Amino acid sequence: MKIIGPFSQIITLQNLPLKGPLQDDELEVIDDGAVLVTDGKIIATGTFASLQTQYPQAFTELIEEPMVLLPGFIDSHTHICFGGSRSLDYAMRNAGKTYLEIAKAGGGIWSSVQMTRAASEGELLLGLVARLDRHLKEGVTTIEIKSGYGLNLEAELKMLRTIQLAKEHTAATLVPTCLAAHIKPRDFEGDEKQYLDWILQDLLPKLKDEKLADRIDIFIEETAFSRTLSVPFLKEAVSMGFQLTVHADQFTAGSSLVAVECNAVSADHLEASGITEIAALTGSETVATVLPGASLGLGMHFAPARKLLDAGCCVAIASDWNPGSAPQGDLLIQAAILGAFEKLTAAEVFAGLTYRAAHALRLDNVGRIVAVHKADLQAYPTKDYRDILYQQGKLKPAKVWIGGEIV
């Protein structure tokens, strides 16, 4: 049993709703606060003095400079297991080339597929662990990771096995997701329906056998899979015991309606979402996950986070860190910039990075500084929590804890 503190402020995010808008005066702020931790879990919060009085036998991990304590961030949408680089894509896009022109020149998702297939498991692991280490240093303690750059049996299994192996090389919590339905690979002999059938019949049983992932994703878009084909695919995946998430409404509206129809845990992207899509998400249990990193990487508008919140949605914020459209990967910078453009309160941004993002992964033991939650925490060198977003991501955590232990 130990007491960690004192902190200038602790932002607990306790008692905030799962859906809808938030004001900063709704935040519980504990001044001169501390956290009591036992066996990796939070037992109590309060002022440093009160916890020392109540638990005189507890060891004290003393914080000697002014700091603000937040829950560890949760990145609920990444593609950080990949081979190679797409810097040429980025340069061509900024030079005015279209997606089709880039693809014809050898870029796009297919180029990442080729480079990922060519990489050994060891090479994939090395790159993945380096990205995990960076995320962890920046306060991201729970990280979802997708496959989707393999697109055949051998390579998809290689990616998902690498993600499993990475759990032995990081203290962060990893959540694997199978995105074999990213695009139809060019070397598949058959149409889109036959490819989705192959995933259901050949790949998903392997995932079950090896316990590699219990979440399935699909990219619904004109350049990927249609809404018509996606619905039966997703419903069959559910019948096999998988949770669902959907790449939805990135360039054209409507696919978030599929996510809602199929009871997906989240619909991610939403840059093209309109009134109909926002209303459907509001009336559902599907989390609206916005990805500002993709907007920054592609030079396009942000998802309508303000409208989604005001309508009553549960809005999570994730990085979409990937080699093509979102290569930056700095979740806090992205969220701070999104907040400035979409006029989000600090409470809304922090909620989107913590307990609301946890709900997108259906995790109920992380994302708030409350009793029985895992003690995944981060502390920023400032006296005022508002400085964190004010500095637009340049203020980084000085300390990060996983299960109450410094990493």
Side-chain angles (χ1 to χ4, degrees):
M1 178 181 294
K2 70 177 176 180
I3 296 169
I4 308 174
F7 295 97
S8 302
Q9 296 176 325
I10 298 177
I11 310 302
T12 68
L13 300 176
Q14 183 169 219
N15 298 324
L16 293 178
L18 196 58
K19 293 185 173 185
L22 298 168
Q23 296 302 315
D24 289 350
D25 60 12
E26 297 178 70
L27 290 171
E28 179 183 62
V29 181
I30 303 175
D31 296 318
D32 298 314
V35 179
L36 180 70
V37 176
T38 298
D39 296 329
K41 292 183 179 180
I42 298 165
I43 303 302
T45 59
T47 66
F48 184 63
S50 67
L51 288 183
Q52 283 195 313
T53 300
Q54 292 176 62
Y55 303 94
Q57 75 281 17
F59 169 78
T60 297
E61 184 178 316
L62 193 63
I63 304 301
E64 297 181 333
E65 60 181 296
M67 289 197 190
V68 171
L69 189 69
L70 290 176
F73 290 151
I74 296 157
D75 194 347
S76 62
H77 183 127
T78 84
H79 305 250
I80 56 174
C81 182
F82 61 83
S85 167
R86 300 251 297 278
S87 58
L88 177 60
D89 285 27
Y90 188 81
M92 292 176 69
R93 187 160 56 242
N94 286 353
K97 300 297 183 183
T98 67
Y99 181 91
L100 186 58
E101 288 170 331
I102 292 170
K104 286 181 177 178
I109 292 171
W110 183 244
S111 67
S112 284
V113 171
Q114 292 173 299
M115 289 184 282
T116 301
R117 287 180 180 180
S120 69
E121 190 173 288
E123 290 168 332
L124 286 182
L125 181 64
L126 191 64
L128 173 56
V129 170
R131 295 174 199 111
L132 292 171
D133 286 348
R134 198 192 92 179
H135 241 8
L136 191 53
K137 288 176 183 175
E138 294 174 350
V140 185
T141 54
T142 300
I143 306 164
E144 186 263 12
I145 310 170
K146 302 181 190 295
S147 67
Y149 294 129
L151 308 190
N152 64 26
L153 186 62
E154 178 185 359
E156 282 292 308
L157 292 176
K158 178 177 68 174
M159 289 189 72
L160 290 163
R161 288 168 182 158
T162 298
I163 295 166
Q164 289 293 337
L165 187 59
K167 293 180 179 181
E168 301 175 13
H169 298 269
T170 182
T173 298
L174 307 186
V175 180
T177 301
C178 177
L179 179 58
H182 202 175
I183 58 171
K184 182 180 79 70
R186 294 181 183 179
D187 56 358
F188 181 80
E189 295 182 358
D191 59 21
E192 282 79 3
K193 182 182 184 306
Q194 290 170 317
Y195 179 67
L196 294 177
D197 287 343
W198 169 81
I199 295 173
L200 292 168
Q201 294 163 14
D202 290 14
L203 178 59
L204 298 195
K206 292 280 189 182
L207 304 191
K208 285 289 185 183
D209 290 344
E210 295 191 35
K211 297 182 172 60
L212 292 175
D214 60 10
R215 289 166 41 91
I216 300 300
D217 197 349
I218 187 169
F219 185 20
I220 305 177
E221 194 50 73
E222 292 178 1
T223 56
F225 297 98
S226 70
R227 293 165 60 182
T228 301
L229 290 177
S230 298
V231 171
F233 169 77
L234 291 170
K235 290 185 175 181
E236 181 61 24
V238 168
S239 74
M240 298 173 70
F242 290 95
Q243 285 187 350
L244 307 179
T245 183
V246 176
H247 278 61
D249 297 354
Q250 183 175 11
F251 302 112
T252 54
S255 46
S256 58
L257 303 180
V258 172
V260 170
E261 179 183 348
C262 296
N263 297 313
V265 296
S266 70
D268 302 10
H269 272 293
L270 309 179
E271 293 90 340
S273 297
I275 294 172
T276 300
E277 291 75 25
I278 292 171
L281 288 165
T282 301
S284 75
E285 296 304 312
T286 299
V287 175
T289 300
V290 298
L291 307 176
S295 296
L296 293 170
L298 293 172
M300 63 183 291
H301 59 273
F302 293 106
R306 179 75 269 150
K307 291 179 180 178
L308 287 160
L309 285 164
D310 288 344
C313 288
C314 176
V315 176
I317 304 170
S319 73
D320 195 25
W321 192 356
N322 73 71
S325 60
Q328 182 215 63
D330 192 311
L331 182 58
L332 181 57
I333 287 178
Q334 295 166 10
I337 293 172
L338 173 73
F341 275 82
E342 284 291 306
K343 299 297 178 275
L344 308 183
T345 66
E348 289 165 340
V349 172
F350 291 146
L353 294 172
T354 57
Y355 72 91
R356 289 178 171 178
H359 191 59
L361 299 175
R362 294 302 188 259
L363 299 176
D364 60 6
N365 67 337
V366 289
R368 304 185 201 248
I369 304 178
V370 296
V372 309
H373 271 219
K374 191 179 175 198
D376 290 356
L377 309 164
Q378 54 173 328
Y380 289 80
T382 179
K383 295 180 180 180
D384 189 333
Y385 74 88
R386 289 167 293 198
D387 287 339
I388 298 169
L389 297 179
Y390 168 63
Q391 295 194 31
Q392 294 193 313
K394 292 298 288 183
L395 184 66
K396 299 299 186 186
K399 295 180 182 288
V400 179
W401 295 261
I402 296 283
E405 299 298 324
I406 286 281
V407 295

